[in-house]
Amino acid sequence: QSVMEAIVTVLDITTMRNAAEVLRESEQRLIFALESIHAGEWELNPQDLSVRYSSRSAEIFLGEDRTESFFSPWSEVVNCFLEEDRETINLSVQAAMERREFFDVTGRILRPDGVERWIQATGRPQETNGRVATLSGIVVDITEKKQAEISQRQALLHSHEIVVKEVVASFGLHYFVLDQNMRYVTFNLLHADLMQQLFGAEIAIGQYFLEYVNMDAQKFLLERNLRRVLAGEVFTFEHYFMLEGQGLKCLVAIYCPIRDKDGQILGVSVFAYDASKPKSAQALLQAGEYRYRKMVEDSNLIFLQLNEQGKILYLNRFGCEFFEYDLPEVAEKRFEAVLVPNVASSRCDLKKMFPL
């Protein structure tokens, strides 16, 4: 049987080849750009919560050289971060997927070799048929940049410390400075002694302040106050607490943000003074004043208080009953114009009794 005819199909693939070439060039440019900033790629699959690392990402997160990408559960990625940063990472990724928006987070990781590094991860959800198919982006090791920033901040905080140290010492103030992460930059002996008495804590530079506070109520107040300062507020606050053998104490704290030359907040300074004795004296004075007022109010004598213009400031209950007035009716009125005429029929010469 012979072939009588043949069908030949010719397809112009020039456009396809050109598109493929453009795509390869774009990929090469992307790879070059990522290499130039030492960035790694990553991709999260929201269906099975697996993460694909590029070889550079593996180097950043694990400190390992790999020639190809590999996969890891999302939970393992999160556990690479320090505990205090994990919630921020989780919430940022969750918000990006729910809102279909770009995200940018910074945190600290602890690699398997024990090295702590700062990383910055950015990314964007990729949608297919209206659903988030992947969350992909890049990760950059920014440790050197962060360390430079921290060194600069520490230098500024140290200069702040030198300026106030002598002032604090001369006035006997409690004093401590925290950085943006609420870690100690400096403190004086009075503050260290107080922390030991209150919480049994041996505080140290670089440690997280709130980890020493083992009383929930005090921790709540202190954390709230520190967050207010880091938001830019300046205020005073009275802290009350019990010290063994000393009873109730009152410490008046002055909270101030520390700013750099551009106005950015670097940390928190807290000055405090012991106001226990003035507060006790004030309480005694108020108690004495209350007892005196009660004695005057309940007396069977007339107690009358006038200002320099002869206007009535106070008249006790017996006086009001005697003159048949309520205090609001005579307050701020001249004595002789109000009270004297009202008792003219009593045959009492009140002008002689109360010479004006």
Side-chain angles (χ1 to χ4, degrees), residues 61 74 76-86 89 105-110 119 121:
F61 273 93
W74 171 245
E76 290 186 9
V77 177
V78 174
N79 287 337
C80 289
F81 288 89
L82 298 192
E83 186 173 354
E84 52 262 43
D85 292 343
R86 291 172 190 170
I89 301 298
V105 293
T106 299
R108 293 157 295 168
I109 61 170
L110 186 64
I119 63 108

Side-chain angles (χ1 to χ4, degrees), residues 109-274:
I109 61 170
L110 186 64
R111 297 192 320 206
D113 58 8
V115 175
E116 184 177 310
R117 307 294 288 178
W118 279 90
I119 63 108
Q120 180 182 18
T122 58
R124 185 185 299 278
Q126 307 298 323
E127 295 186 44
T128 301
N129 298 325
R131 299 179 61 185
V132 175
T134 61
L135 186 66
S136 57
I138 63 172
V139 60
V140 183
D141 188 329
I142 59 169
T143 304
E144 285 69 26
K145 177 185 174 183
K146 270 292 182 182
Q147 287 175 342
E149 290 177 359
I150 291 171
S151 296
Q152 184 181 23
R153 288 174 179 170
Q154 294 290 354
L156 287 169
L157 291 173
H158 181 63
S159 64
H160 175 83
E161 174 191 2
I162 293 172
V163 170
V164 301
K165 218 167 190 177
E166 290 195 10
V167 176
V168 170
S170 62
F171 285 95
L173 300 175
H174 298 251
Y175 172 67
F176 64 97
V177 172
L178 306 176
D179 64 17
Q180 286 179 310
N181 298 310
M182 301 185 193
R183 295 178 180 272
Y184 276 113
V185 174
T186 186
F187 52 82
N188 67 353
L189 186 58
L190 279 175
H191 175 69
D193 287 345
L194 180 64
M195 292 294 285
Q196 204 285 326
Q197 292 179 68
L198 272 177
F199 310 116
E202 298 293 337
I203 61 178
I205 301 297
Q207 295 301 305
Y208 184 52
F209 170 67
L210 293 175
E211 77 178 11
Y212 294 116
V213 183
N214 52 23
M215 300 178 187
D216 290 341
Q218 290 289 349
K219 178 177 284 190
F220 171 80
L221 289 174
L222 288 166
E223 183 174 8
R224 184 187 65 181
N225 286 350
L226 292 173
R227 294 198 182 282
R228 286 176 60 189
V229 184
L230 289 171
E233 289 190 57
V234 178
F235 59 92
T236 60
F237 191 87
E238 294 181 1
H239 291 277
Y240 291 89
F241 47 86
M242 297 293 294
L243 283 182
E244 188 174 352
Q246 300 182 46
L248 182 65
K249 305 289 285 184
C250 174
L251 206 66
V252 177
I254 305 166
Y255 290 83
C256 305
I258 302 173
R259 301 177 184 269
D260 63 14
K261 62 181 181 179
D262 299 319
Q264 297 297 313
I265 295 176
L266 303 177
V268 177
S269 64
V270 181
F271 302 84
Y273 61 91
D274 189 345

Side-chain angles (χ1 to χ4, degrees), residues 266-286:
L266 303 177
V268 177
S269 64
V270 181
F271 302 84
Y273 61 91
D274 189 345
S276 303
K277 289 183 179 179
K279 285 291 179 181
S280 296
Q282 182 182 10
L284 289 172
L285 184 62
Q286 289 173 340

